[in-house]
Amino acid sequence: MGIHHVDEINSSCLLLSRVATNDGHGENSSYFDGWKAYDSNPFHPTRNPEGVIQMGLAEHQLCLGTMQEWIRKNPKASICTEEGLSQFKDIANFQDYHGLPQFRKAIAKFMGKVRGGRAEFDADRVVMSGGATGAQETLAFCLANPGEAFLIPTPYYPAFDRDFRWRTGVQLLPIHCHSINNFKITETALMTAYRRALKSNIKVKGILVTNPSNPLGTTMDRATLRTLARFANENNIHLICDEIFGGTVFDGPEFASISTVLEDDPRLNRDLFHIAYSLSKDLGVPGFRVGIIYSYNDAVVSCARKMSSFGLVSTQTQHLLAAMLGDDEFTTKLLAESRRQLSRRHAVFTSGLERVGIRCLESNAGLFFWMNLKHLLKAATVEAELELWRVIIHKVKLNISPGSAFHCSEPGWFRVCFANMDDGTMEVALRRIRAFVYEANERGTTSAQTTKNKKRFDRTLRLSLPRRFDHDLMTTMTPRLMSPHSPLVKAAN
Amino acid sequence: MRLIVPLQAVVQGRGGLVLGSLIPCALFYLLQLYLRRNRPSSSSSPPTSSASASDLVELATIPRSLSRGLLSPRGAGGPARLSSRGVAVARDDDNPYYVGLKRCPEDPYHPSSNPRGFLQLGLAENLLTLDLIRDWLVSNWKESLLLDEEEEFSIRGLATYQPYDGLMELKMAIAEFMGQIMQESVLFNPSQIVLTGGATPAVEILSFCLADPGNAFLVPSPYYPGWDRDIKWRTGIELIPVPCRSTNNFSISIASLERAYNQAKKRGVKVRAVLVSNPSNPVGNLIDRDKLYDLLEFVSEKNIHLISDEIFAGSIYGSDKFVSVAEIVDAESFDRSRVHIVYGLSKDLSVPGFRVGVIYSYNEIVLAAASKLARFSSISAPTQRLLVSMLSDRKFISEYLIINRDRLQNMHALFVDGLKQLGIKCASSSGGLYCWADMSKFIQSYSEKGELKLWEKLLNVAKINVTPGSSCHCIEHGWFRCCFTTLEEKDIPIVIERIRRITESNLVS
């Protein structure tokens, strides 16, 4: 018994696939280096008050109490209660990839609600997937062949490089956005990216956007969305809108979903539009693994539904969520509570940071904000950004995510998550940032200090920039799986 | 595919390689010209209504490799195109296996309310012992949830992110369960387990790890029709059926594997693994110890992998003892890094809706890659917690396994007897949820067409869904897989009677 190690395998030359041996999994990205630092020294209010605070995981934990209350009041929804058991037989062996009809209806209803009732969703177009991760991958499989590409505005969620490209062989090409206009997508940038692809003989099959944006935390304005839709329509390419943060919009302007744009403009070819969704952010239940593909294209619905066998949602979970999301009163209460909590958190953080001269991109959604630390960089380079980031991880002990991990074209931006901690931890985080900024101001620059620290801490943190997919490298084995470990669970234990 | 094999036979021996590649190419090219000439002209503006799947299928029959030259990169106008993978998946509906599966739920049999409804014998699902699981939940529902100090249901631990490849507690519980199923002949190591949302993604993830697009697996046939989707769809891996015959009860022949391996090599196709199911689906026979040893020797010699799908390991009703490949690996000195086991709880524990699959591998790189790939198909956290509780109740599991085995044995005996009365013999089997029935004397012409005609009659006239051997790539005609675990005892005479009506009218004199 026992597992065979690398040397023995190499010596027997037992071949494995490219997928198994390349670094398409992306865990060598700096996005995950911070997580590793957190994992090895996690913050705990009493047991480890000097530990690293996790601000790199976009998890929504502010409304779990509301959900818990509902579950307590509705024991029938959980089939593991006496009241719920009557449905057990039908649930335990139901494996139809259409999913429970009541589940699909509840999802369609909830999606409509998140959009303030401005759009209606058809339950028959709701397709399950293994989390939003699975939704993105399935759409890539359905819409593009290996080697073909999707355009994506920067900065973007680092895991797209893995979720969208790893097994599918599809490429992601950047549409560069800049802070000068708050990182909005311009038609020029879109055209430039598209033409560059054509010149390199790469077939562009579509555009992938996240709205509200991760990491920016902003909702896309209607005009930009319409521009994207028209561009897709004119060039006969697909538009995938990842609307996973749709329910986290806590401030104006109102969330404009692609569904409303489609309803406004009947000339658009609906076959080109698809929504990726999940309950992981809006409801704060990433552990339930509920991913949704909603496509306006019948063939895509059919294809994705068949592929959903690879990522079906457990019927026990479907049953629970069907009841929960079907309860109108509850969902109204939950969404309102969520917005209230997020708005409050966001205000406390951004005002706290402003007091020490740190500006953030103005945002109205998401579980994070996009922080500008350009003025603290030694130079306007990615290396300087990563140097500052290492200081923040090791000296300030906050795991925040550097902009370069998100392919941001300007160094100095950082994504900071705020919805995965309690108020006490939030205060500690703010205190640490204030202390760091005062110290930095006193010394003029941070360079003298960081060079010394760099020698001491460099061993543990590798400088790693996101790599392109087409390297065929034998990867060094990552000793620990990069699964997000929720800090609140750790704190509670 | 069907065209190429006879072509090879024709040109073999006479500049075979050249002619063997030129002729198919020429035919292919002529096919493209024909299709291009007959392609429906696309409208200049995109249609306002969504294009139907059939339109898309028609347009996309031109293979991708040639389409780049034919279509301009701008591609403006015409309906939205799916990927070639997407098109193949969207249109893959004709296989009788799936057709039958779809018809039954539309008009399901019920003894009192719908006695003329469809009887589902095409889905390998075990309903015989579901009541035991339900009873356990009734008496243990409190334990099955994550409770905090006040004994209140706590969502906090369940809702948040969990390790993508499964909770360690569940891995440990499943490792123990697998050991229990195999009567403790193997000790399974939880750190060699990757959990996935069902055996379907388990086998796909494993395939993605072991082979690149264009490589192939050798699969003794008849085999489970689902693999044609689960493995071929997105990985681009080819499945090469290696026929087994009724003369030796469909046992795997190493000589046939050898032959198939060499044929693939001649075609320039790299074989990366042998994929077997044990107990076999659809036949139900077990691979004995000697044969497992021979298989391990074969894959070692060829330096390829062995994937053993042991999902029915806990559904043994015969007197033969089940031997897992893990047992042989433990005892002998084979290179373990080439051995991988696929498992799941859908069959042995009757909970396919919960979506629990297992990859058990001795290869560290495969485990590392698979655990990262599991992110695309993780098990829902509340379900994991529930199963940890259930599987940890060793007493319940032991009782369950004994009762399950008894009921399986009983149903199998009754069903096979019933078929015998009609003159239908079944292959000798010891496990699984089905039997492999020989209805060849009732098909009009000994061919796949004849077999499908009988299948259609059984489906449309007798309203019984069984799986025809051709869906399973069986080289002999007239064999059908009949699952009996979705029935109750009193349903069996009804099934037999319905089959009798067809066989009596179909008897070939």
Side-chain angles (χ1 to χ4, degrees), chain A residues 162-199:
Chain A
R162 171 192 51 204
D163 299 346
F164 210 76
R165 301 184 322 173
W166 193 10
R167 298 194 291 186
T168 61
V170 175
Q171 298 187 57
L172 281 177
L173 301 174
I175 303 169
H176 291 292
C177 301
H178 304 277
S179 59
I180 196 156
N181 66 339
N182 290 330
F183 295 97
K184 285 211 177 93
I185 306 168
T186 60
E187 198 154 3
T188 320
L190 185 53
M191 282 304 304
T192 310
Y194 188 67
R195 286 207 192 102
R196 197 186 308 130
L198 293 184
K199 240 195 228 148

Short mmCIF file of all heavy atoms in Angstrom, two decimals, chain A residues 162-199:
data_model
loop_
_atom_site.label_atom_id
_atom_site.label_comp_id
_atom_site.label_asym_id
_atom_site.label_seq_id
_atom_site.Cartn_x
_atom_site.Cartn_y
_atom_site.Cartn_z
N ARG A 162 -7.99 29.32 -15.21
CA ARG A 162 -8.09 27.89 -15.01
C ARG A 162 -9.45 27.38 -15.45
O ARG A 162 -9.56 26.46 -16.25
CB ARG A 162 -7.85 27.57 -13.54
CG ARG A 162 -8.13 26.13 -13.17
CD ARG A 162 -8.16 25.97 -11.66
NE ARG A 162 -9.03 26.95 -11.04
CZ ARG A 162 -8.92 27.37 -9.78
NH1 ARG A 162 -7.96 26.91 -9.00
NH2 ARG A 162 -9.75 28.26 -9.30
N ASP A 163 -10.51 27.98 -14.92
CA ASP A 163 -11.85 27.46 -15.14
C ASP A 163 -12.23 27.46 -16.61
O ASP A 163 -12.88 26.54 -17.11
CB ASP A 163 -12.88 28.29 -14.36
CG ASP A 163 -12.62 28.25 -12.86
OD1 ASP A 163 -11.83 27.38 -12.42
OD2 ASP A 163 -13.20 29.07 -12.14
N PHE A 164 -11.83 28.50 -17.31
CA PHE A 164 -12.26 28.64 -18.70
C PHE A 164 -11.32 27.96 -19.67
O PHE A 164 -11.73 27.58 -20.76
CB PHE A 164 -12.33 30.14 -19.03
CG PHE A 164 -13.35 30.48 -20.06
CD1 PHE A 164 -14.70 30.51 -19.74
CD2 PHE A 164 -12.98 30.77 -21.36
CE1 PHE A 164 -15.65 30.81 -20.70
CE2 PHE A 164 -13.94 31.09 -22.31
CZ PHE A 164 -15.27 31.11 -21.99
N ARG A 165 -10.03 27.77 -19.28
CA ARG A 165 -9.04 27.34 -20.26
C ARG A 165 -8.46 25.96 -20.04
O ARG A 165 -8.10 25.27 -21.01
CB ARG A 165 -7.85 28.31 -20.26
CG ARG A 165 -8.19 29.74 -20.56
CD ARG A 165 -6.95 30.62 -20.63
NE ARG A 165 -5.93 30.27 -19.65
CZ ARG A 165 -4.74 30.82 -19.62
NH1 ARG A 165 -4.40 31.71 -20.52
NH2 ARG A 165 -3.87 30.47 -18.70
N TRP A 166 -8.34 25.52 -18.79
CA TRP A 166 -7.52 24.36 -18.47
C TRP A 166 -7.84 23.12 -19.30
O TRP A 166 -6.98 22.60 -20.03
CB TRP A 166 -7.65 24.05 -16.97
CG TRP A 166 -6.64 23.09 -16.45
CD1 TRP A 166 -5.53 22.59 -17.07
CD2 TRP A 166 -6.64 22.50 -15.15
NE1 TRP A 166 -4.85 21.75 -16.25
CE2 TRP A 166 -5.50 21.68 -15.07
CE3 TRP A 166 -7.49 22.60 -14.05
CZ2 TRP A 166 -5.19 20.94 -13.91
CZ3 TRP A 166 -7.19 21.87 -12.91
CH2 TRP A 166 -6.05 21.05 -12.85
N ARG A 167 -9.08 22.62 -19.19
CA ARG A 167 -9.39 21.38 -19.90
C ARG A 167 -9.95 21.67 -21.29
O ARG A 167 -10.03 20.79 -22.12
CB ARG A 167 -10.42 20.57 -19.11
CG ARG A 167 -9.92 20.14 -17.76
CD ARG A 167 -10.79 19.06 -17.15
NE ARG A 167 -12.11 19.50 -16.76
CZ ARG A 167 -12.98 18.72 -16.11
NH1 ARG A 167 -12.64 17.50 -15.78
NH2 ARG A 167 -14.18 19.18 -15.78
N THR A 168 -10.36 22.92 -21.50
CA THR A 168 -11.06 23.20 -22.75
C THR A 168 -10.10 23.55 -23.88
O THR A 168 -10.44 23.37 -25.05
CB THR A 168 -12.00 24.40 -22.58
OG1 THR A 168 -11.20 25.54 -22.23
CG2 THR A 168 -13.00 24.16 -21.46
N GLY A 169 -8.93 24.09 -23.53
CA GLY A 169 -8.00 24.51 -24.58
C GLY A 169 -8.37 25.83 -25.22
O GLY A 169 -7.80 26.23 -26.23
N VAL A 170 -9.35 26.52 -24.62
CA VAL A 170 -9.78 27.81 -25.17
C VAL A 170 -8.89 28.92 -24.60
O VAL A 170 -8.41 28.80 -23.48
CB VAL A 170 -11.27 28.07 -24.78
CG1 VAL A 170 -11.73 29.43 -25.23
CG2 VAL A 170 -12.14 26.99 -25.39
N GLN A 171 -8.66 29.96 -25.38
CA GLN A 171 -7.80 31.05 -24.90
C GLN A 171 -8.61 32.21 -24.36
O GLN A 171 -9.76 32.40 -24.73
CB GLN A 171 -6.98 31.60 -26.08
CG GLN A 171 -6.05 30.60 -26.71
CD GLN A 171 -5.19 31.27 -27.73
OE1 GLN A 171 -4.48 32.24 -27.42
NE2 GLN A 171 -5.25 30.82 -28.96
N LEU A 172 -7.96 33.01 -23.48
CA LEU A 172 -8.58 34.25 -23.02
C LEU A 172 -7.67 35.40 -23.43
O LEU A 172 -6.48 35.42 -23.09
CB LEU A 172 -8.72 34.25 -21.49
CG LEU A 172 -9.89 33.45 -20.91
CD1 LEU A 172 -9.85 33.49 -19.40
CD2 LEU A 172 -11.22 34.00 -21.41
N LEU A 173 -8.20 36.35 -24.20
CA LEU A 173 -7.40 37.48 -24.66
C LEU A 173 -7.90 38.76 -24.00
O LEU A 173 -9.10 39.02 -23.99
CB LEU A 173 -7.50 37.59 -26.19
CG LEU A 173 -7.04 36.35 -26.94
CD1 LEU A 173 -7.31 36.50 -28.43
CD2 LEU A 173 -5.56 36.09 -26.71
N PRO A 174 -6.99 39.58 -23.48
CA PRO A 174 -7.43 40.73 -22.69
C PRO A 174 -7.94 41.90 -23.51
O PRO A 174 -7.43 42.20 -24.59
CB PRO A 174 -6.17 41.13 -21.93
CG PRO A 174 -5.05 40.63 -22.76
CD PRO A 174 -5.53 39.44 -23.51
N ILE A 175 -8.97 42.58 -22.96
CA ILE A 175 -9.39 43.90 -23.44
C ILE A 175 -8.88 44.84 -22.35
O ILE A 175 -9.38 44.83 -21.22
CB ILE A 175 -10.92 44.01 -23.51
CG1 ILE A 175 -11.51 42.92 -24.40
CG2 ILE A 175 -11.33 45.39 -24.00
CD1 ILE A 175 -13.03 42.82 -24.29
N HIS A 176 -7.88 45.64 -22.68
CA HIS A 176 -7.25 46.43 -21.62
C HIS A 176 -8.09 47.61 -21.19
O HIS A 176 -8.50 48.43 -22.01
CB HIS A 176 -5.85 46.89 -22.08
CG HIS A 176 -4.90 45.74 -22.20
ND1 HIS A 176 -4.45 45.05 -21.10
CD2 HIS A 176 -4.35 45.14 -23.27
CE1 HIS A 176 -3.65 44.07 -21.50
NE2 HIS A 176 -3.57 44.11 -22.81
N CYS A 177 -8.30 47.72 -19.88
CA CYS A 177 -9.05 48.84 -19.33
C CYS A 177 -8.15 49.59 -18.36
O CYS A 177 -7.22 49.03 -17.78
CB CYS A 177 -10.30 48.33 -18.59
SG CYS A 177 -11.38 47.40 -19.67
N HIS A 178 -8.42 50.89 -18.21
CA HIS A 178 -7.52 51.72 -17.43
C HIS A 178 -8.25 52.57 -16.41
O HIS A 178 -9.43 52.88 -16.56
CB HIS A 178 -6.72 52.62 -18.38
CG HIS A 178 -5.98 51.83 -19.41
ND1 HIS A 178 -4.76 51.25 -19.17
CD2 HIS A 178 -6.32 51.47 -20.68
CE1 HIS A 178 -4.37 50.59 -20.24
NE2 HIS A 178 -5.30 50.70 -21.17
N SER A 179 -7.48 52.97 -15.39
CA SER A 179 -8.10 53.70 -14.29
C SER A 179 -8.57 55.08 -14.71
O SER A 179 -9.40 55.69 -14.04
CB SER A 179 -7.12 53.84 -13.13
OG SER A 179 -5.96 54.51 -13.56
N ILE A 180 -8.04 55.58 -15.82
CA ILE A 180 -8.36 56.95 -16.20
C ILE A 180 -9.86 57.14 -16.41
O ILE A 180 -10.40 58.22 -16.20
CB ILE A 180 -7.55 57.35 -17.46
CG1 ILE A 180 -7.56 58.85 -17.62
CG2 ILE A 180 -8.08 56.66 -18.71
CD1 ILE A 180 -6.40 59.38 -18.40
N ASN A 181 -10.53 56.07 -16.82
CA ASN A 181 -12.00 56.16 -16.92
C ASN A 181 -12.65 55.11 -16.03
O ASN A 181 -13.67 54.53 -16.38
CB ASN A 181 -12.46 56.02 -18.37
CG ASN A 181 -12.19 54.63 -18.91
OD1 ASN A 181 -11.35 53.90 -18.38
ND2 ASN A 181 -12.91 54.24 -19.95
N ASN A 182 -12.00 54.90 -14.88
CA ASN A 182 -12.52 53.92 -13.90
C ASN A 182 -12.66 52.52 -14.46
O ASN A 182 -13.60 51.80 -14.13
CB ASN A 182 -13.87 54.40 -13.34
CG ASN A 182 -13.69 55.60 -12.44
OD1 ASN A 182 -12.65 55.75 -11.80
ND2 ASN A 182 -14.69 56.46 -12.41
N PHE A 183 -11.75 52.13 -15.30
CA PHE A 183 -11.68 50.77 -15.86
C PHE A 183 -12.93 50.39 -16.66
O PHE A 183 -13.25 49.21 -16.78
CB PHE A 183 -11.46 49.73 -14.75
CG PHE A 183 -10.14 49.87 -14.04
CD1 PHE A 183 -10.03 50.55 -12.85
CD2 PHE A 183 -8.98 49.32 -14.60
CE1 PHE A 183 -8.81 50.69 -12.20
CE2 PHE A 183 -7.75 49.45 -13.96
CZ PHE A 183 -7.67 50.14 -12.77
N LYS A 184 -13.60 51.39 -17.22
CA LYS A 184 -14.77 51.04 -18.05
C LYS A 184 -14.28 50.47 -19.38
O LYS A 184 -13.23 50.87 -19.88
CB LYS A 184 -15.62 52.28 -18.31
CG LYS A 184 -16.43 52.72 -17.14
CD LYS A 184 -17.73 53.38 -17.63
CE LYS A 184 -18.61 53.78 -16.46
NZ LYS A 184 -18.44 55.13 -15.99
N ILE A 185 -15.09 49.60 -19.96
CA ILE A 185 -14.74 49.03 -21.26
C ILE A 185 -15.12 50.03 -22.34
O ILE A 185 -16.26 50.48 -22.40
CB ILE A 185 -15.52 47.72 -21.51
CG1 ILE A 185 -15.33 46.75 -20.35
CG2 ILE A 185 -15.09 47.08 -22.83
CD1 ILE A 185 -16.29 45.58 -20.41
N THR A 186 -14.14 50.39 -23.16
CA THR A 186 -14.45 51.33 -24.25
C THR A 186 -14.55 50.55 -25.55
O THR A 186 -13.95 49.48 -25.71
CB THR A 186 -13.34 52.38 -24.41
OG1 THR A 186 -12.12 51.68 -24.72
CG2 THR A 186 -13.16 53.18 -23.14
N GLU A 187 -15.26 51.14 -26.48
CA GLU A 187 -15.42 50.48 -27.77
C GLU A 187 -14.07 50.35 -28.48
O GLU A 187 -13.79 49.36 -29.14
CB GLU A 187 -16.41 51.27 -28.64
CG GLU A 187 -16.95 50.44 -29.78
CD GLU A 187 -18.31 50.91 -30.26
OE1 GLU A 187 -18.81 51.92 -29.72
OE2 GLU A 187 -18.86 50.27 -31.16
N THR A 188 -13.23 51.35 -28.27
CA THR A 188 -11.89 51.32 -28.89
C THR A 188 -11.09 50.13 -28.38
O THR A 188 -10.48 49.39 -29.16
CB THR A 188 -11.12 52.61 -28.53
OG1 THR A 188 -12.01 53.71 -28.59
CG2 THR A 188 -9.96 52.81 -29.48
N ALA A 189 -11.10 49.97 -27.06
CA ALA A 189 -10.34 48.87 -26.46
C ALA A 189 -10.85 47.54 -26.98
O ALA A 189 -10.09 46.62 -27.28
CB ALA A 189 -10.44 48.92 -24.94
N LEU A 190 -12.17 47.44 -27.09
CA LEU A 190 -12.81 46.21 -27.59
C LEU A 190 -12.37 45.92 -29.01
O LEU A 190 -11.92 44.81 -29.34
CB LEU A 190 -14.33 46.42 -27.52
CG LEU A 190 -15.26 45.28 -27.87
CD1 LEU A 190 -14.91 44.04 -27.07
CD2 LEU A 190 -16.71 45.67 -27.60
N MET A 191 -12.44 46.95 -29.87
CA MET A 191 -12.05 46.77 -31.27
C MET A 191 -10.59 46.40 -31.39
O MET A 191 -10.21 45.54 -32.18
CB MET A 191 -12.30 48.08 -32.05
CG MET A 191 -13.73 48.35 -32.41
SD MET A 191 -14.50 47.01 -33.36
CE MET A 191 -13.40 46.86 -34.74
N THR A 192 -9.76 47.07 -30.58
CA THR A 192 -8.32 46.79 -30.62
C THR A 192 -8.05 45.34 -30.30
O THR A 192 -7.29 44.66 -31.00
CB THR A 192 -7.58 47.69 -29.59
OG1 THR A 192 -7.98 49.04 -29.77
CG2 THR A 192 -6.07 47.56 -29.74
N ALA A 193 -8.67 44.86 -29.23
CA ALA A 193 -8.45 43.47 -28.83
C ALA A 193 -8.92 42.51 -29.91
O ALA A 193 -8.26 41.52 -30.24
CB ALA A 193 -9.17 43.19 -27.51
N TYR A 194 -10.09 42.82 -30.48
CA TYR A 194 -10.67 41.95 -31.51
C TYR A 194 -9.77 41.90 -32.73
O TYR A 194 -9.46 40.82 -33.26
CB TYR A 194 -12.07 42.46 -31.86
CG TYR A 194 -12.86 41.55 -32.77
CD1 TYR A 194 -13.29 40.29 -32.34
CD2 TYR A 194 -13.19 41.95 -34.07
CE1 TYR A 194 -14.01 39.47 -33.18
CE2 TYR A 194 -13.92 41.13 -34.91
CZ TYR A 194 -14.33 39.89 -34.46
OH TYR A 194 -15.05 39.06 -35.29
N ARG A 195 -9.31 43.09 -33.15
CA ARG A 195 -8.48 43.13 -34.37
C ARG A 195 -7.14 42.44 -34.14
O ARG A 195 -6.63 41.76 -35.04
CB ARG A 195 -8.25 44.58 -34.81
CG ARG A 195 -9.48 45.19 -35.43
CD ARG A 195 -9.12 46.29 -36.42
NE ARG A 195 -10.33 47.02 -36.77
CZ ARG A 195 -10.66 48.21 -36.27
NH1 ARG A 195 -9.86 48.82 -35.45
NH2 ARG A 195 -11.80 48.78 -36.61
N ARG A 196 -6.60 42.62 -32.93
CA ARG A 196 -5.31 41.98 -32.63
C ARG A 196 -5.44 40.47 -32.75
O ARG A 196 -4.55 39.79 -33.27
CB ARG A 196 -4.85 42.36 -31.22
CG ARG A 196 -3.37 42.10 -30.99
CD ARG A 196 -2.92 42.34 -29.57
NE ARG A 196 -3.30 43.64 -29.06
CZ ARG A 196 -3.91 43.83 -27.90
NH1 ARG A 196 -4.21 42.81 -27.13
NH2 ARG A 196 -4.24 45.04 -27.50
N ALA A 197 -6.53 39.96 -32.28
CA ALA A 197 -6.76 38.51 -32.36
C ALA A 197 -6.83 38.06 -33.81
O ALA A 197 -6.22 37.07 -34.21
CB ALA A 197 -8.04 38.13 -31.62
N LEU A 198 -7.59 38.81 -34.60
CA LEU A 198 -7.74 38.43 -36.01
C LEU A 198 -6.41 38.45 -36.73
O LEU A 198 -6.10 37.58 -37.54
CB LEU A 198 -8.72 39.38 -36.70
CG LEU A 198 -10.17 39.30 -36.24
CD1 LEU A 198 -11.05 40.23 -37.08
CD2 LEU A 198 -10.70 37.88 -36.34
N LYS A 199 -5.63 39.47 -36.41
CA LYS A 199 -4.30 39.58 -37.05
C LYS A 199 -3.43 38.39 -36.72
O LYS A 199 -2.62 37.95 -37.54
CB LYS A 199 -3.60 40.86 -36.55
CG LYS A 199 -3.27 41.82 -37.66
CD LYS A 199 -2.28 42.86 -37.23
CE LYS A 199 -2.81 44.23 -37.65
NZ LYS A 199 -2.44 45.30 -36.76
#
